[in-house]
């Protein structure tokens, strides 16, 4: 409860400062794809689709390569005939033929198979435990149908496949069990709806039972990878996120997998954790309570990009939570790892790391102190100087958050680390949102220094770095908020008549917190 | 995409709409615009006419009009870039492009929804086939989502299980994909390497008018001028010119035949178009024969009139024709009728002796009433002079409107003022050519020739405009080829630069292909300029619709 209060306080404090708490602690927003481009490609591809339909009948000919299957290409009609025949052998052959069609790489005829009404039949084959081969072929065929579009997955679900697959998970034949798990993964991967439907049908329990085995190494690694992937799909997707009870059941298994030594399994498990942590503080809490934070931090140090990426994402998600949750990550020694991550040769990792740091500097001043102690400030300045643009943006956030929550000494240290030069250089950016964030940082720094009475030197420094010119130029910016923000800085700190100290707040901590809201409300329209 | 049925897919679509007409600043575009305007008047189609001088202009014009218009007709601009990429239009904006610039950008060719090309497919286009340059990305992506996940990227939500040979096939396919990409680059390089021009836009729209059975003599005349513009400004090969002239001739005789009864007799407001096998002497009917010979590229280069020897030869030539100097130097209109009667034959005969075997060319002339007679090339020169007028400091769009007006037969005064300006321009061109040759301003830079017009050169302002500079460039190269003894230089292309805006310190640059009778008029400078700008990191603006000038 006290924690909640604490957040509430901070929240109002931030709100009064004219910002949403969500803006300081910034949750992951989906990356904007270049929509325009995609659309344009679509237009071109429309034509393509027509063509691909046309060459459908001839495609068996195209498939002529030495690696191809024995040349028994069945037409969909033949398959329908075979599946409905009376002899088991014929049915098996037809199912296998369907599976082959669906497994070819180009244009599998998923819709034709659905239209032929074969799904019902295949689902019924799943239950024929007296004939494992047909169970397997049907499971494979259905897996591939479910791997398609949402409509195609829906067709499989509506054929009643979910319960059938769930009962196959416990099949005595590992390859059938594996195929069923794969199919469930495809269904759950379609979205929140089917994910929850699989959970509702009790799909989670047999999987967890498997993972509760005393020794996981009895499973072939391919099998275990499929289980992990399906499990991660059961954690995936938001709006709504998976039911909390399911998450709680799932977590011990994830913790166990997190200690299993296989690259793909570790990667998929970390992704699962990243999905679970991408949500409210309540959900983050459940994950943190499972005690996997130290292991995640450990994985940050491994060499595999495929593991580091989701591990970093998960930790980044956790530090969007409460100060306590963030502290948990800090206590696990995460900051030591960030020295390396902030200079990683993949720009994407740099960006994610800077994002995480920005959320840590949005925390308490003791947490900012930990960032300083880990030696990250000079690196952050370096990133600000020469990272790619997206990373620079995150670093700007880190600086701004730092300046709004840090103590005077901390901010002074930041300035000592030469943050101003790269920060002011970024004022030439086009994006007005980032301009506002930079201007806030500049304002905060000036404000703090002003309080300490050492303003002239700083103003001179900003002027010498060409910052004043840039801020002045921004007064004619199209964006009204940018204009007001830059005007405010010039007005308060750089105009002659403002020499009188009356505007400058008293240097006590108390009045500082009161003073700010008033100042900000003027620049908030 | 290419439009197959220009009436159904273009005219009937825009007929009930408001249309924005974006027209480039060249004579063919003006003529095409005139024809389309006439059709729109006929059917009461509402339109807004916007002259555009370059890519920047086009971008601005689009931004200004995109809210009010859904349909845009682009004349002589837009085909040779990826227009959607450049303009970033909304999904419902539709572009009809009638443009002679080649090669047509492949994305424009294969976009089915927003780009409609009013371009004849029988023009020698050589567009790469769809499958050679585009590929369904899903094909490859589908393979990768199989078992391996890309390093560090999120695992796919759904996975298909492939059959056993899939892995080997995927490797094979990746190899094939790389090969395909290399081939694609090669194909595109070949396709985009040279730029050239296709069938006149004015002729395209005349054909539309004909299909609609709304073609008039005025429209026919504009189409002729559009075609002649391509010849005067050396945009198409001689072969293409002769072929298209034949097409126009069929239309001319059809029209003359149709009105045989009523209009055979001349009347004050009649208009008569006739096929002519006329002299290549620029504006001679509105000048004196002497001045025309001096200022026509063809004759001046042959005699090398910038030399004393050349001047002498010219006198000999005139003597050979038996034309008294007094007659030759006075206005053509005032020459003795007896001389004028078989003047063309007389000139041709003497020209043959002097090695000018093709002094006559297939063209068309027009009579307005009794008094006014013009050759198609007269119109081109006059209108071009108005379009790029530097006399008064008028805006580009003022010049555009004036030039457009000069094409209407009700505006003969304007046309005459255009002819006067054209004469001045031609004299300036000749003088500049002479001074460049005499002072050796043309430098051989290894693979190409180069000439820079210094600031302060007389008439330099005139040549800050792309058409005028290109014309000068072509005349200069021809003159240079005639005057130099260096055989190698005859095979070199020429790059020419002139100050564009003295205050801003900018320069306009054009490049033209080597001068030869068999030239295919294909110009590789577009790509070359882009590369050059890249490698020297100069600040350049490839603004002109011809990529070979900027």
């Amino acid at each position: 409860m006290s924690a909640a209060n604490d957040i509430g306080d901070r929240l109002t404090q931030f709100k009064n400062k004219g910002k949403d708490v969500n803006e300081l602690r910034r949750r992951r927003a989906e990356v904007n794809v270049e929509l325009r481009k995609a659309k344009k490609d679509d237009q071109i591809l429309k034509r393509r689709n027509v063509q691909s339909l046309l060459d459908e009948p001839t495609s068996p000919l195209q498939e002529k390569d030495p690696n191809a299957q024995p040349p028994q290409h069945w037409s969909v009609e033949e398959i329908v005939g075979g599946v409905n025949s009376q002899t088991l052998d014929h049915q098996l052959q037809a199912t296998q033929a369907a599976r082959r069609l669906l497994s070819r790489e180009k244009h599998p005829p998923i819709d034709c198979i659905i239209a032929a009404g074969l799904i019902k039949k295949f689902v019924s084959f799943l239950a024929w435990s007296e004939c494992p081969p047909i169970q397997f072929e049907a499971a494979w065929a259905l897996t591939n149908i479910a791997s398609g579009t949402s409509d195609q997955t829906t067709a499989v679900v509506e054929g009643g496949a979910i319960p059938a697959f769930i009962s196959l998970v416990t099949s005595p034949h590992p390859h059938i069990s594996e195929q069923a798990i794969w199919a469930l993964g495809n269904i759950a991967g379609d979205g929140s709806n089917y994910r929850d439907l699989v959970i509702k049908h009790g799909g989670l329990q047999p999987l967890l039972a498997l993972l509760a085995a005393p020794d996981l190494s009895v499973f072939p690694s391919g099998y275990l990878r499929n289980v992990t992937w399906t499990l991660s799909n059961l954690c995936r997707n938001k709006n709504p996120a998976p039911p909390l009870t399911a998450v709680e059941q799932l977590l011990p298994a994830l913790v166990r997998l997190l200690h299993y030594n296989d690259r793909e399994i570790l990667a998929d498990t970390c992704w699962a954790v990243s999905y679970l942590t991408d949500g409210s503080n309540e959900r983050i809490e459940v994950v943190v309570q499972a005690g996997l934070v130290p292991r995640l931090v450990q994985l940050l140090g491994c060499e595999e990009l495929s593991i580091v990426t989701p591990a970093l994402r998960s930790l980044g998600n956790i530090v969007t939570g409460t100060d306590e949750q963030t502290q948990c990550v800090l206590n696990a020694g995460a900051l030591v790892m960030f020295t390396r991550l902030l200079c990683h040769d993949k720009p994407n990792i740099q960006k994610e790391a800077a994002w995480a740091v920005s959320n840590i500097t949005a925390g308490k001043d003791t947490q900012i102190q930990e960032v300083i102690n880990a030696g990250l400030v000079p690196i952050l300045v370096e990133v600000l100087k020469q990272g790619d643009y997206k990373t620079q943006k995150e670093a700007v956030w880190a600086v701004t958050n730092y300046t709004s929550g840090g103590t005077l000494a901390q901010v002074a240290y930041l300035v000592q680390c030469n943050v101003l030069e790269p920060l002011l250089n970024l004022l030439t950016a086009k994006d007005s949102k980032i301009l506002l964030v930079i201007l806030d940082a500049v304002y905060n720094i000036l404000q703090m220094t002003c309080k300490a009475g050492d303003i002239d030197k700083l103003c001179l420094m900003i002027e010498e770095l060409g910052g004043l010119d840039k801020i002045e130029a921004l007064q004619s910016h199209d964006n009204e908020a940018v204009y007001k923000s830059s005007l405010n800085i010039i007005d308060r700190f750089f105009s002659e008549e403002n020499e009188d100290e009356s505007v400058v707040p008293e240097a006590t901590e108390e009045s500082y917190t009161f003073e700010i809201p008033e100042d900000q409300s003027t620049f908030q329209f | 995409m290419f439009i197959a049925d220009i009436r159904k897919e273009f005219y009937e679509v825009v007929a009930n709409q408001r249309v924005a007409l974006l027209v480039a600043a060249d004579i063919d575009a003006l003529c095409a615009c005139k024809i389309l305007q006439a059709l729109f008047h006929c059917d009461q189609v509402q339109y807004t006419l916007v002259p555009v001088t370059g890519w920047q202009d086009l971008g601005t014009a689009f931004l200004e009009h995109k809210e009010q218009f859904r349909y845009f007709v682009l004349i002589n601009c837009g085909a040779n870039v990826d227009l959607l990429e450049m303009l970033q239009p909304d999904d419902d904006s539709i572009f009809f492009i009638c443009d002679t610039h080649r090669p047509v950008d492949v994305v424009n060719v294969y976009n089915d929804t927003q780009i409609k090309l009013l371009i004849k497919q029988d023009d020698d286009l050589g567009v790469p086939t769809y499958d050679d340059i585009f590929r369904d990305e899903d094909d490859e992506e589908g393979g990768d989502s199989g078992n391996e996940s890309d390093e560090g990227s999120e695992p796919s939500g759904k996975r298909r299980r492939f059959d056993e040979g899939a892995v080997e096939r995927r490797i094979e396919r990746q190899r094939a994909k790389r090969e395909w990409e290399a081939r694609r680059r090669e194909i595109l390089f070949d396709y985009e390497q040279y730029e050239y021009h296709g069938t006149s836009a004015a002729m395209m729209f005349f054909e539309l008018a004909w299909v609609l059975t709304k073609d008039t003599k005025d429209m026919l005349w504009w189409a002729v001028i559009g075609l002649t513009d391509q010849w005067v400004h050396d945009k198409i090969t001689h072969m293409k010119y002769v072929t298209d002239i034949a097409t126009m001739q069929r239309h001319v005789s059809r029209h003359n035949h149709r009105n045989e009864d009523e209009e055979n007799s001349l009347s004050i407001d009649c208009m008569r178009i006739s096929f002519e096998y006329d002299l290549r002497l620029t504006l001679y009917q509105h000048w004196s024969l002497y001045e025309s010979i001096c200022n026509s590229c063809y004759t001046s280069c042959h005699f090398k009139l910038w030399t004393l020897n050349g001047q002498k030869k010219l006198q000999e030539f005139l003597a050979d024709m038996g034309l008294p100097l007094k007659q030759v130097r006075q206005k053509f209109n005032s020459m003795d009728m007896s001389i004028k009667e078989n003047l063309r034959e007389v000139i041709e005969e003497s020209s043959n002796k002097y090695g000018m075997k093709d002094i006559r060319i297939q063209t068309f002339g027009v009579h307005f009433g009794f008094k006014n007679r013009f050759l198609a090339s007269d119109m081109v020169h006059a209108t071009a002079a108005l379009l790029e007028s530097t006399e008064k400091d008028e805006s580009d769009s003022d010049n555009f409107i004036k030039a457009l007006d000069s094409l209407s037969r009700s505006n003969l005064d304007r046309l005459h003022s255009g002819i006067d300006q054209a004469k001045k321009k031609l004299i300036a061109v000749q003088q500049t050519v002479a001074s460049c040759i005499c002072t050796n301003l043309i430098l051989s830079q290894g693979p190409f020739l180069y000439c820079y017009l210094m600031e302060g050169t007389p008439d330099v302002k005139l040549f800050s405009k792309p058409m005028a500079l290109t014309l000068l460039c072509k005349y200069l190269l021809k003159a240079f080829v005639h005057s130099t003894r260096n055989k190698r230089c005859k095979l070199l292309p020429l790059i020419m630069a002139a100050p564009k805006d003295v205050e801003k310190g900018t320069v306009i640059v054009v490049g033209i292909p080597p001068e030869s009778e068999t030239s295919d008029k294909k110009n590789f400078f577009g790509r070359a300029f882009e590369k050059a700008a890249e490698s020297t990191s100069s600040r350049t603006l490839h603004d002109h619709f011809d990529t070979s000038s900027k």
Side-chain angles (χ1 to χ4, degrees):
Chain A
M1 196 62 222
S2 79
N5 256 334
D6 206 341
I7 312 161
D9 280 347
R10 259 214 13 225
L11 205 138
T12 46
Q13 192 189 342
F14 284 139
K15 277 218 168 111
N16 284 338
K17 288 180 84 177
K19 274 176 233 98
D20 205 305
V21 67
N22 289 337
E23 246 185 294
L24 276 180
R25 283 268 162 93
R26 290 159 312 121
R27 302 212 185 273
R28 165 149 301 279
E30 288 310 313
V31 192
N32 279 331
V33 199
E34 279 181 40
L35 246 179
R36 160 98 248 134
K37 189 113 191 148
K39 265 187 196 159
K40 200 178 73 186
D41 289 345
D42 276 354
Q43 289 187 355
I44 287 178
L45 292 179
K46 268 179 200 155
R47 185 188 180 97
R48 174 73 195 184
N49 285 339
V50 176
Q51 288 183 340
S52 65
L53 270 183
L54 285 179
D55 62 34
E56 198 67 58
T58 61
S59 54
L61 291 173
Q62 293 175 344
E63 283 266 295
K64 245 187 196 166
D65 68 74
N67 298 321
Q69 296 296 303
Q72 10 166 296
H73 284 290
W74 295 44
S75 69
V76 175
E77 291 75 36
E78 287 169 319
I79 292 172
V80 173
V83 162
N84 289 318
S85 85
Q86 294 308 310
T87 57
L88 178 63
D89 192 42
H90 212 171
Q91 285 174 317
L92 173 60
Q93 276 181 16
T95 312
Q96 191 176 44
R99 182 268 287 172
R100 286 217 172 101
L101 276 182
L102 292 166
S103 308
R104 76 171 183 217
E105 285 173 67
K106 277 192 181 163
H107 316 300
I110 297 182
D111 284 327
C112 302
I113 297 277
I114 295 174
L118 286 165
I119 289 184
K120 272 262 179 266
K121 211 70 193 166
F122 290 158
V123 171
S124 69
F125 290 162
L126 293 180
W128 288 13
S129 49
E130 66 277 15
C131 177
I134 207 168
Q135 283 184 308
F136 175 66
E137 295 292 350
W140 186 344
L142 287 169
T143 303
N144 284 1
I145 297 173
S147 76
T149 63
S150 262
D151 286 343
Q152 290 164 344
T153 310
T154 302
V156 174
V157 173
E158 283 172 353
I162 295 180
F165 277 129
I166 291 175
S167 35
L168 275 189
V169 173
T170 49
S171 158
H173 307 280
H175 66 295
I176 295 175
S177 163
E178 181 180 1
Q179 197 59 55
I181 290 166
W182 189 330
L184 287 171
N186 277 343
I187 294 169
D190 184 66
S192 304
N193 268 343
Y194 289 156
R195 177 200 63 207
D196 290 347
L197 200 58
V198 171
I199 294 173
K200 217 183 213 162
H201 277 94
L204 203 48
Q205 281 67 32
L207 291 176
L208 296 180
L210 283 171
L211 293 175
D215 183 9
L216 287 181
S217 57
V218 298
F219 299 113
S221 60
Y223 184 84
L224 210 51
R225 283 174 194 162
N226 268 322
V227 176
T228 311
W229 174 74
T230 298
L231 212 54
S232 82
N233 270 358
L234 288 170
C235 301
R236 198 168 178 159
N237 291 313
K238 295 206 279 186
N239 303 320
L244 215 47
T245 47
V247 174
E248 280 162 347
Q249 291 170 352
L250 235 151
L251 271 164
L254 289 183
V255 175
R256 194 157 182 223
L257 287 171
L258 221 41
H259 288 86
Y260 191 84
N261 192 17
D262 177 279
R263 189 177 66 108
E264 280 181 42
I265 290 175
L266 284 174
D268 279 353
T269 312
C270 285
W271 279 110
V273 175
S274 80
Y275 303 143
L276 295 180
T277 47
D278 182 9
S280 63
N281 293 354
E282 187 192 9
R283 286 184 177 268
I284 294 175
E285 189 61 25
V286 176
V287 178
V288 172
Q289 288 307 323
L292 42 64
V293 171
R295 176 61 182 160
L296 282 177
V297 170
Q298 204 179 359
L299 288 174
L300 275 187
C302 82
E303 295 298 321
E304 290 291 347
L305 189 63
S306 58
I307 299 170
V308 174
T309 307
L312 177 56
R313 174 77 59 88
S314 305
L315 291 168
N317 284 338
I318 294 173
V319 295
T320 64
T322 63
D323 284 350
E324 287 69 25
Q325 288 162 352
T326 305
Q327 194 57 45
C328 182
V329 173
L330 299 182
N331 291 346
L335 286 174
V336 184
M337 305 290 187
F338 276 79
T339 325
R340 224 177 49 135
L341 295 174
L342 282 171
C343 324
H344 203 277
D345 35 322
K346 293 276 183 233
N348 197 40
I349 297 281
Q350 283 189 24
K351 185 197 77 184
E352 295 263 330
W355 169 63
V357 172
S358 81
N359 280 328
I360 296 170
T361 56
K364 295 191 287 202
D365 56 19
T366 54
Q367 294 176 333
I368 293 177
Q369 194 57 44
E370 287 196 52
V371 172
I372 297 171
N373 294 346
L376 293 184
V377 176
I379 302 176
L380 211 55
V381 171
E382 197 56 29
V383 165
L384 213 50
K385 212 177 274 175
Q386 31 190 269
D388 76 352
Y389 181 61
K390 283 180 183 160
T391 314
Q392 284 178 326
K393 253 163 69 171
E394 297 301 341
V396 165
W397 274 104
V399 168
T400 303
N401 288 345
Y402 181 116
T403 56
S404 65
T407 63
L408 182 59
Q410 286 169 343
V411 172
Y413 170 70
L414 184 67
V415 175
Q416 258 172 42
C417 289
N418 294 322
V419 77
L420 281 171
E421 189 181 353
L423 193 66
L424 293 168
N425 281 340
L426 282 171
L427 281 176
T428 48
K430 296 269 183 292
D431 177 3
S432 52
K433 195 166 170 206
I434 205 67
L435 289 178
L436 279 172
V437 180
I438 298 172
L439 288 173
D440 271 0
V442 173
Y443 182 89
N444 289 340
I445 294 170
L446 282 164
Q447 173 74 29
M448 293 283 260
T449 321
C450 200
K451 203 172 65 182
D454 204 11
I455 186 81
D456 288 347
K457 217 172 112 196
L458 184 68
C459 286
L460 192 67
M461 196 166 154
I462 291 177
E463 202 173 337
E464 277 171 357
L465 290 169
L468 184 57
D469 290 345
K470 292 191 180 100
I471 298 171
E472 271 174 344
L474 287 179
Q475 289 182 97
S476 53
H477 196 273
D478 290 343
N479 184 302
E480 195 170 350
V482 171
Y483 145 71
K484 286 197 169 154
S485 186
S486 49
L487 182 69
N488 188 37
I489 290 176
I490 301 282
D491 253 12
R492 286 192 49 114
F493 303 107
F494 290 97
S495 50
E496 299 299 327
E497 71 257 38
N498 254 343
E499 292 290 89
D500 66 307
E501 301 285 296
S502 63
V503 213
V504 180
E506 291 307 306
T508 68
E509 206 57 46
E510 283 289 288
S511 67
Y512 169 58
T513 46
F514 283 119
E515 208 67 38
I516 293 285
E518 280 175 24
D519 297 335
Q520 296 278 329
S521 62
T522 53
F523 109 82
Q524 267 287 327
F525 313 111
Chain B
M1 65 178 283
F2 292 109
I3 275 187
D5 184 336
I6 187 170
R7 176 170 61 173
K8 280 213 183 80
E9 290 173 76
F10 164 62
Y11 197 73
E12 286 173 10
V13 173
V14 298
N16 300 312
Q17 308 285 340
R18 295 177 62 222
V19 186
L21 273 182
L22 310 182
V23 183
D26 69 67
I27 312 305
D28 181 38
L30 289 179
C31 294
C33 171
K34 279 300 243 187
I35 297 175
L36 199 58
Q37 279 181 299
L39 284 175
F40 282 174
H41 280 298
C42 212
D43 292 311
Q44 291 167 343
V45 179
Q46 288 188 52
Y47 66 89
T48 295
L49 173 62
V50 189
V52 291
T53 56
W55 295 116
Q56 270 194 332
D57 236 16
L58 179 62
T60 326
F62 174 72
L63 281 182
E64 279 170 9
H65 294 90
K66 68 174 182 180
E67 302 301 332
Q68 304 129 50
F69 293 93
R70 210 183 136 206
Y71 294 96
F72 293 85
V73 177
L74 276 62
I75 302 181
N76 276 359
C77 55
N80 56 343
V81 290
D82 182 349
L83 199 65
L84 297 186
E85 181 69 35
M86 191 181 80
L87 297 179
Q88 303 283 319
D90 293 333
D91 282 349
D92 57 350
S93 303
I94 309 279
F95 297 89
F96 293 97
I97 304 175
C98 182
D99 188 0
T100 64
H101 290 98
R102 306 285 182 273
V104 181
D105 190 90
V106 285
V107 177
N108 289 343
V109 172
Y110 289 110
N111 182 295
D112 277 1
T113 46
Q114 288 186 268
I115 303 283
K116 315 277 181 189
L117 297 167
L118 309 180
I119 286 174
K120 272 199 196 166
Q121 289 225 55
D122 51 0
D123 265 4
D124 183 20
L125 286 168
V127 182
T129 59
Y130 182 87
D131 287 310
D132 280 341
I133 41 174
F134 295 105
R135 202 159 144 139
D136 199 336
E137 290 294 327
D138 293 348
D139 274 4
E140 295 106 55
E141 238 62 75
D144 289 64
S145 61
N147 294 320
E148 74 201 293
S149 61
D150 204 9
E151 278 235 281
S153 69
E154 202 174 340
S156 50
K158 295 177 183 177
R159 298 176 309 157
R160 198 146 66 86
R161 179 166 178 177
F162 297 108
D163 48 25
E164 293 75 6
V167 180
E168 290 140 61
R169 280 208 300 280
R170 190 174 316 137
I171 293 166
E172 172 62 24
R173 214 180 36 235
Q174 272 164 2
R175 198 180 56 82
K177 185 181 162 197
R178 272 195 299 276
E179 274 173 17
W180 179 85
E181 275 166 358
R183 204 170 97 91
R184 174 180 193 268
R185 273 194 298 276
E186 214 168 281
I187 290 172
L188 279 184
F189 178 83
D190 287 347
Y191 177 63
E192 291 172 347
Q193 188 179 11
Y194 295 107
E195 71 163 12
Y196 60 102
H197 287 268
T199 303
S200 140
M203 279 177 66
M204 281 303 293
F205 281 126
F206 178 75
E207 210 152 291
L208 169 67
W210 178 43
V211 170
L212 295 167
T213 63
K214 285 178 179 151
D215 54 327
T216 65
K217 273 195 179 168
D218 282 301
M219 294 180 189
L220 179 56
W221 181 234
W222 290 322
V224 166
I225 299 171
L227 170 59
T228 310
D229 169 53
Q230 293 192 306
W231 172 65
V232 167
H233 289 102
D234 206 24
K235 288 179 177 171
I236 51 174
T237 62
H238 187 70
M239 193 58 199
K240 169 87 176 144
Y241 174 69
V242 173
T243 316
D244 286 349
I245 279 284
T247 312
M248 293 323 292
Q249 198 181 351
R250 280 196 293 280
H251 285 296
V252 168
S253 44
R254 182 170 56 84
H255 269 266
N256 286 343
H257 183 69
R258 193 164 68 185
N259 302 326
E260 219 161 34
D261 311 324
E262 323 130 45
E263 261 192 298
N264 207 11
S265 55
L266 283 174
S267 67
I268 190 79
D269 58 348
C270 79
M271 171 176 189
R272 216 159 40 109
I273 304 172
S274 53
F275 175 81
E276 305 283 351
Y277 188 50
D278 215 321
L279 296 167
R280 264 167 102 159
L281 298 176
T282 318
L283 297 173
Y284 76 96
Q285 297 179 15
H286 308 274
W287 222 340
S288 73
L289 198 55
Y290 183 77
E291 280 168 300
S292 174
I293 292 174
C294 287
N295 293 300
S296 295
C297 175
Y298 184 71
T299 41
S300 123
C301 287
H302 258 279
F303 291 122
K304 296 183 211 163
L305 285 181
W306 52 90
T307 62
L308 214 58
N309 220 350
Q311 290 289 342
K312 271 190 204 150
K313 241 197 223 164
L314 172 61
Q315 304 299 330
E316 278 173 33
F317 174 68
L318 293 173
D320 187 83
M321 290 190 292
L323 298 179
L325 268 184
K326 196 181 158 210
Q327 287 288 339
V328 170
R329 283 183 192 269
Q330 75 172 324
K331 272 189 180 167
F332 182 83
N333 275 339
S334 323
M335 265 169 90
D336 275 358
M337 281 306 281
S338 58
I339 297 180
K340 277 199 269 189
E341 221 159 69
N342 56 353
L343 183 70
R344 292 190 286 200
E345 285 72 26
V346 168
I347 292 184
E348 186 179 20
E349 206 188 311
S350 295
S351 299
N352 276 338
K353 280 193 218 160
Y354 281 78
M356 297 183 288
K357 300 237 186 285
D358 41 8
I359 187 101
R360 291 175 80 175
I361 183 100
Q362 298 92 323
T363 181
F364 292 92
V366 71
H367 277 279
F368 296 130
F370 302 108
K371 194 177 147 208
N372 294 295
R373 182 168 183 275
F374 300 96
L375 285 178
S377 60
D378 298 342
M379 302 287 292
V380 172
H381 282 289
T383 313
L386 289 173
L387 188 59
E388 292 193 336
S389 168
T390 50
E391 291 213 328
K392 285 170 230 142
D393 274 324
E394 293 196 69
S395 70
D396 286 340
S397 55
D398 284 344
N399 285 335
F400 183 93
I401 299 299
K402 279 191 185 159
L404 199 62
D405 280 349
S406 74
L407 291 169
S408 309
R409 62 171 135 152
S410 56
N411 260 321
L412 290 179
D413 288 346
R414 179 136 295 153
L415 183 60
H416 282 295
S417 87
I419 286 179
D420 290 340
Q421 289 192 34
K423 288 180 195 166
K424 284 181 198 154
K425 183 170 138 187
L426 283 165
I427 293 171
V429 168
Q430 275 324 312
Q431 284 171 349
T432 312
V433 166
S435 76
C436 286
I437 300 264
C438 296
T439 54
N440 285 323
L441 277 183
I442 301 169
L443 309 171
S444 171
Q445 296 281 359
F448 61 88
L449 302 168
Y450 172 74
C451 177
Y452 177 60
L453 286 187
M454 303 289 275
E455 226 179 280
T457 315
D459 304 309
V460 75
K461 201 174 161 203
L462 207 58
F463 302 116
S464 63
K465 307 277 183 173
M467 264 200 298
L469 186 62
T470 312
L471 197 71
L472 170 65
C473 199
K474 303 223 158 166
Y475 280 22
L476 182 59
L477 183 59
K478 208 171 250 169
F480 179 75
V481 167
H482 274 93
S483 71
T484 184
R485 291 213 177 78
N486 187 335
K487 283 215 173 102
R488 204 178 69 89
C489 285
K490 295 186 183 186
L491 303 172
L492 294 182
L494 172 64
I495 294 178
M496 195 151 188
K500 183 174 173 67
D501 189 323
V502 180
E503 276 160 36
K504 290 187 200 144
T506 51
V507 164
I508 174 169
V509 181
V510 300
I512 57 164
E515 165 69 29
S516 78
E517 287 307 313
T518 54
S519 167
D520 55 5
K521 315 284 181 203
K522 289 191 174 179
N523 192 329
F524 60 86
F525 275 111
R527 301 288 149 192
F529 281 157
E530 275 172 30
K531 277 262 185 302
E534 232 171 73
S535 56
T536 57
S537 58
S538 327
R539 275 193 308 146
T540 58
L541 178 63
H542 301 265
D543 194 39
H544 200 248
F545 297 126
D546 283 327
T547 48
S548 61
S549 77
K550 64 180 182 187

